[in-house]
Amino acid sequence: MEQATGVQQEQVPVTDRGRRTRAALLQAGRELFEERGWADVRIDAVAERAGVSHGTFYTWFDSKESLLRAIVAVVVEDVFTATTVGPRLPPDAPYARIEAANRLYLTAVTRHARILRVLDSLADTREEFRRLRVDVREAFVRRGMEGLVRLQELGLADGALPPRATASALGAMVESFAHLWQDPGEHLDEDAAVDVLTRLWAGAIGLPRSAWPDGASRRPT
């Protein structure tokens, strides 16, 4: 089973009560970070929102930073799992697999957009969160690279493309587009957004026109 790696997980509690308490702190922290941003959230506010004592917070997290790391770990695992096409589509349907991955990614990132924006704002100024953002991206780049290599081996992608650089560039395109697409000013519905991303991705890797659906292959790229 594929897993998102590189994002440090906190120790998981072994009792039901511990799991409930930790989950309440994660939910409270996420809500407050999304509502107030990083700077205006205090640990006592998280504990109060979660319905636990200030001291209980430190049973599970040693700082506000460790709380955010744990929240991001949960989010990344959800996005990674939600965007795994896996056996949903056959390996000999590359265009459909790219399309499905793009649709799943837009949906998942939109669901977590507010907390991911908190991470991005911190990554621009704090080294530990910059590294965390790099680790998050690495899991997706690695998966994209592995997919591209499979297509190259099948003769369905340009064999001259360097896998890592290509996966990194295309992943950055989709990530940036996903953030921009959430702006109402873009005026693109989900189907149109997925169509644009998929045609750009398929064209960039040199996917043969014979592997494109008839409707997509007739459109200009």
Side-chain angles (χ1 to χ4, degrees):
M1 178 178 175
E2 290 177 291
Q3 292 184 346
T5 57
V7 180
Q8 185 177 8
Q9 299 264 8
E10 301 292 325
Q11 184 174 353
V12 177
V14 296
T15 66
D16 288 341
R17 181 179 179 181
R19 283 189 285 271
R20 288 194 300 270
T21 300
R22 185 174 183 276
L25 286 165
L26 288 171
Q27 182 62 32
R30 176 169 179 164
E31 290 173 359
L32 288 167
F33 288 139
E34 290 179 344
E35 291 168 11
R36 305 179 185 179
W38 169 261
D40 292 332
V41 173
R42 294 164 51 197
I43 288 173
D44 57 355
V46 175
E48 181 179 0
R49 176 75 63 96
V52 302
S53 69
H54 185 93
T56 298
F57 175 93
Y58 290 101
T59 301
W60 303 110
F61 306 102
D62 59 20
S63 63
K64 195 166 71 166
E65 287 80 0
S66 69
L67 174 64
L68 181 58
R69 285 198 302 270
I71 293 168
V72 170
V74 172
V75 168
V76 170
E77 194 63 39
D78 179 73
V79 173
F80 196 84
T81 301
T83 57
T84 299
V85 177
R88 304 183 206 202
L89 291 167
D92 59 353
Y95 192 94
R97 291 181 67 84
I98 295 168
E99 183 177 52
N102 285 331
R103 186 179 300 279
L104 291 168
Y105 185 83
L106 286 183
T107 300
V109 169
T110 298
R111 183 166 65 249
H112 297 296
R114 293 174 69 190
I115 194 65
L116 290 173
R117 281 197 289 270
V118 173
L119 173 61
D120 283 340
S121 68
L122 289 168
D124 289 338
T125 58
R126 298 183 58 165
E127 177 61 21
E128 89 171 274
F129 289 107
R130 187 196 69 79
R131 291 196 306 271
L132 178 56
R133 184 170 62 181
V134 169
D135 287 343
V136 168
R137 287 174 174 164
E138 175 63 21
F140 292 92
V141 169
R142 189 163 56 250
R143 186 168 68 183
M145 181 175 64
E146 291 167 355
L148 176 58
V149 169
R150 284 195 296 270
L151 291 178
Q152 289 175 321
E153 291 171 346
L154 291 170
L156 293 173
D158 183 352
L161 290 172
R164 181 175 181 84
T166 303
S168 182
L170 291 174
M173 173 190 74
V174 175
E175 179 187 6
S176 296
F177 181 88
H179 290 302
L180 292 171
W181 175 65
Q182 293 164 41
D183 184 336
E186 285 298 305
H187 302 300
L188 274 180
D189 65 21
E190 182 179 299
D191 288 339
V194 171
D195 178 62
V196 168
L197 287 173
T198 304
R199 287 193 283 129
L200 288 172
W201 190 296
I205 67 171
L207 188 70
R209 288 291 174 167
S210 59
W212 293 47
D214 286 344
S217 64
R218 294 194 188 106
R219 295 178 185 139
T221 58

